[in-house]
């Protein structure tokens, strides 16, 4: 049976993720409503503005439905703002900002500074032969991670790619390069569940 | 930088995927990607900036006067006071943009020094140079530029713009000009994808745009950078219209803070932009918003800002 990978499409870089997923041979669906969520076997939460997405998750009714699917073990991959939405704690979030608490990490938003401090660098990823070229844009930082979290890549001391069960997060943007290995790592989770 | 080399650099930065670039251009086009599907709101003080962020704006544009007031006051409109821009940066966590005059590269240098996240080389301010736009490759910060047609968009991209927006008449509350720009740009892109290789030379000549960029559009069917709508958006329906025409996000200037009740209108425009194809959502969020900005017809304006820029 072919698997459908949804991309949360309330705001942000959802089309870039769809492009990579299609190249990998997956059918993808833009998810803006609870009904669209029912069509998917896994979900990507893209980069964008986490405050905007947090608002729209509540008004669209998607917050509860995604929360329920996450509790059932739906594989999910959050990049940048998507990682903030999946985190247990947001250290400098707005008081009304909601997150799913699906992975045992605390994050700091915009920890690397403003756009002028955005950067690209090669990182070593667990299990990859060659380095991965990572693009960091006003990136969040994982300030704490629990024992159940597997670290997959670091930049300096900072964890930038991690996994706990069927939840994977990256503080950078694998959808902005043509290297599809990190998306493959995620779609590999579909085989496990 | 010579023209041939500049175009060579652009081509090297852009693959057939249309979303790969290198150097500062990749992180700058990347930030533009992150703003897609969102609403960027003009604000003139920290209180408005908070209202915008609370309503779900993806970014704010910090300026001293909204375009409707610039139009009313006349005179020379310049970059905002750095103190005012910093006051806004201090109260929000979302990206902050600010405007420099067309060709005024020193205003842009100042905005970069202030750590502004995106610089708008804007026709809403009085142009500082009648021939040249800013060489945007000389900066680390990303630039957004306006365009009324595809040729203008490609000239701005060839100068290093990371994001293109329509150049609808700011401060009028009238969306007709922005619609014309979007239709012109997307219409020409569609026609170019149907052209044969010989016709592309003529397209480049007619558009006044670098041939390699025209050839690339023929191949990919899309602009090299994201394209947003700006100018005249006053209602949730206006925002959804721009999105259905192909814009990937919207700027709202005077339309929010010149309306009767800014906060609910701002929230409604955010929802309309995210759910732009869902008429039921649009019907729901369009209710009870109070009066939109009054607006003016195109025959009543004495100066067209869209004519500024070359």
């Amino acid at each position: 049976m072919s698997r459908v990978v949804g991309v949360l499409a309330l705001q942000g870089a959802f089309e870039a993720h769809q492009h990579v997923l299609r190249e990998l041979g997956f059918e993808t669906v833009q998810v803006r409503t609870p009904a669209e969520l029912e069509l998917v076997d896994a979900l990507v939460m893209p980069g964008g503005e986490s405050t905007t997405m947090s608002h729209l998750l509540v008004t669209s009714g998607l917050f509860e439905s995604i929360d329920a699917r996450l509790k059932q073990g739906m594989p999910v991959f959050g990049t940048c703002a998507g990682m903030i939405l999946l985190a247990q704690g947001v250290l400098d979030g707005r008081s009304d900002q909601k997150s799913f608490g699906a992975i045992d990490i605390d994050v700091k938003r915009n920890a690397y500074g403003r756009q002028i401090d955005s950067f690209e660098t090669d990182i070593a990823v667990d299990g990859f032969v060659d380095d991965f070229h990572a693009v960091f844009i006003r990136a969040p930082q994982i300030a704490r991670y629990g024992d159940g979290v597997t670290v997959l890549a670091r930049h300096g001391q900072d964890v930038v790619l991690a996994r706990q069960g069927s939840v994977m997060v990256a503080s950078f943007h694998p959808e902005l390069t043509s290297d599809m290995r990190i998306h493959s790592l995620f779609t590999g989770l579909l085989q496990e569940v | 930088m010579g023209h041939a080399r500049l175009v060579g650099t652009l081509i090297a930065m852009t693959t057939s995927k249309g979303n790969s670039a290198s150097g500062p251009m990749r992180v700058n086009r990347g930030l533009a990607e992150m703003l897609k599907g969102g609403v960027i709101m003009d604000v003139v003080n920290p209180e408005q900036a908070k209202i915008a962020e609370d309503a779900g704006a993806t970014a704010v544009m910090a300026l001293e006067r909204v375009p409707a007031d610039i139009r009313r006051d006349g005179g020379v409109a310049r970059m905002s006071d750095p103190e005012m821009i910093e006051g806004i940066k201090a109260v929000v966590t979302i990206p902050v943009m600010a405007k420099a005059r067309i060709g005024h590269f020193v205003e842009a240098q100042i905005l970069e020094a202030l750590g502004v996240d995106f610089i708008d080389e804007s026709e809403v301010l009085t142009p500082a140079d009648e021939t040249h736009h800013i060489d945007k490759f000389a900066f680390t910060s990303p630039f957004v530029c306006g365009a009324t047609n595809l040729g203008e968009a490609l000239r701005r991209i060839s100068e290093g713009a990371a994001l293109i927006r329509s150049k609808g008449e700011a401060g009028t509350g009238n969306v007709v000009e922005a619609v014309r720009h979007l239709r012109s740009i997307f219409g020409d892109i569609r026609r170019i994808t149907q052209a044969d290789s010989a016709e592309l030379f003529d397209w480049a000549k007619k558009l006044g745009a670098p041939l390699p960029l025209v050839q690339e559009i023929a191949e990919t069917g899309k602009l090299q950078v994201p394209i947003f709508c700006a100018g005249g958006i006053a209602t949730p329906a206006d925002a959804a219209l721009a999105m259905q025409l192909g814009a990937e996000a919207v700027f709202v200037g005077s339309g929010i803070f010149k309306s009767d009740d800014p906060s609910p209108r701002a929230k409604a425009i955010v929802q309309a932009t995210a759910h732009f194809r869902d008429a039921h959502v649009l019907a729901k969020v369009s209710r009870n918003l109070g009066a939109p900005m009054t607006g003016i017809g195109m025959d009543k304006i004495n100066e067209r800002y869209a004519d500024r820029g070359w």
Side-chain angles (χ1 to χ4, degrees), chain A residues 92-114:
Chain A
D92 51 350
R94 292 164 48 90
S95 53
D96 61 347
Q97 188 162 351
K98 294 183 83 164
S99 60
F100 292 104
I103 180 166
D104 187 16
I105 58 170
D106 292 340
V107 296
K108 208 163 158 250
R109 295 175 60 212
N110 302 336
Y112 295 94
R114 307 197 71 92

Side-chain angles (χ1 to χ4, degrees), chain B residues 27-113:
Chain B
V27 295
N28 285 343
R29 287 186 187 178
L31 180 60
E33 286 286 324
M34 299 309 139
L35 296 169
K36 281 185 177 178
V39 183
I40 300 149
M41 302 183 191
D42 278 7
V43 297
V44 301
N45 57 45
E47 293 70 42
Q48 289 187 354
K50 284 303 289 178
I51 292 171
E53 188 179 57
D54 289 347
T58 47
V60 291
M61 176 77 70
L63 72 178
E64 268 163 356
R65 292 175 293 170
V66 294
D69 291 335
I70 293 175
R71 201 174 274 287
R72 186 198 62 210
D73 297 348
V76 176
R78 309 176 177 90
M79 177 189 81
S80 297
D81 184 339
E83 180 94 8
M84 175 267 171
I85 295 169
E86 296 209 306
I88 285 171
K89 272 174 55 197
V91 299
V92 294
T93 61
I94 54 180
V96 175
M97 305 188 176
K99 291 181 193 291
R101 281 178 265 177
I102 288 173
H104 205 315
F105 50 87
V106 175
E107 284 188 349
Q109 289 164 5
I110 292 169
L111 294 176
E112 178 162 282

Side-chain angles (χ1 to χ4, degrees), chain A:
Chain A
M1 195 182 81
S2 85
R3 301 295 188 101
V4 180
V5 182
V7 181
L8 185 66
L10 293 170
Q11 193 273 316
F14 49 89
E15 281 176 343
H17 277 290
Q18 282 191 293
H19 179 83
V20 182
L21 292 165
R22 266 189 231 111
E23 292 276 304
L24 285 170
F26 285 87
E27 188 186 331
T28 88
V29 174
Q30 295 186 358
V31 175
R32 292 185 178 85
T33 63
E36 285 162 346
L37 183 70
E38 285 178 21
L39 305 173
V40 311
D41 301 294
L43 187 68
V44 174
M45 295 192 187
E49 278 307 314
S50 60
T51 55
T52 306
M53 285 191 232
S54 167
H55 276 285
L56 291 165
L57 279 167
V58 174
T59 54
S60 64
L62 268 175
F63 193 91
E64 284 76 21
S65 19
I66 291 176
D67 196 45
R69 289 291 302 273
L70 289 174
K71 291 195 169 91
Q72 292 163 14
M74 171 182 68
V76 64
F77 179 28
T79 58
C80 197
M83 175 176 96
I84 296 172
L85 293 173
L86 289 168
Q88 185 69 49
V90 184
L91 299 181
D92 51 350
R94 292 164 48 90
S95 53
D96 61 347
Q97 188 162 351
K98 294 183 83 164
S99 60
F100 292 104
I103 180 166
D104 187 16
I105 58 170
D106 292 340
V107 296
K108 208 163 158 250
R109 295 175 60 212
N110 302 336
Y112 295 94
R114 307 197 71 92
Q115 175 61 11
I116 194 127
D117 308 304
S118 292
F119 62 99
E120 311 177 47
T121 186
D122 290 332
I123 57 171
V125 176
D126 198 32
F128 289 3
V129 177
D130 298 315
D131 282 358
F132 190 90
H133 190 70
V135 182
F136 292 81
I137 298 173
R138 287 172 50 96
Q141 187 183 41
I142 298 177
R144 178 202 65 83
Y145 60 94
D147 293 338
V149 174
T150 308
V151 173
L152 297 172
R154 287 176 190 269
H155 167 57
Q157 295 299 306
D158 297 337
V159 176
V160 295
L161 183 66
R163 181 191 158 185
Q164 183 174 23
S166 55
V167 181
M168 198 169 114
V169 293
S171 56
F172 56 95
H173 292 280
E175 78 281 10
L176 294 182
T177 53
S178 49
D179 189 337
M180 301 188 287
R181 287 178 293 167
I182 286 178
H183 283 82
S184 295
L185 209 57
F186 169 62
T187 53
L189 299 182
L190 271 167
Q191 268 72 60
E192 293 180 23
V193 293

Side-chain angles (χ1 to χ4, degrees), chain B residues 274-291:
Chain B
H275 300 282
F276 65 96
R277 285 191 203 284
D278 189 333
H280 294 288
V281 171
L282 300 177
K284 193 171 135 211
V285 304
S286 297
R287 286 162 207 262
N288 298 321
L289 296 177

Side-chain angles (χ1 to χ4, degrees), chain B residues 199-268:
Chain B
E199 289 167 337
L200 294 179
F201 295 94
D202 188 46
W203 270 105
K205 190 176 76 180
K206 274 195 305 208
L207 293 171
L211 176 67
L213 295 187
V214 174
Q215 289 169 324
E216 197 185 347
I217 285 179
E219 200 179 307
T220 65
K222 53 186 267 199
L223 206 61
Q224 286 80 358
V225 304
I227 175 162
F228 295 180
C229 180
I233 290 179
T235 67
D238 288 347
L241 173 68
M243 296 291 289
Q244 288 197 27
L245 283 170
E248 296 171 299
V250 300
F251 286 83
V252 185
S254 319
I256 289 171
F257 289 102
K258 282 287 167 189
S259 71
D260 272 4
D261 199 356
S263 176
R265 181 165 297 268
K267 286 180 185 155

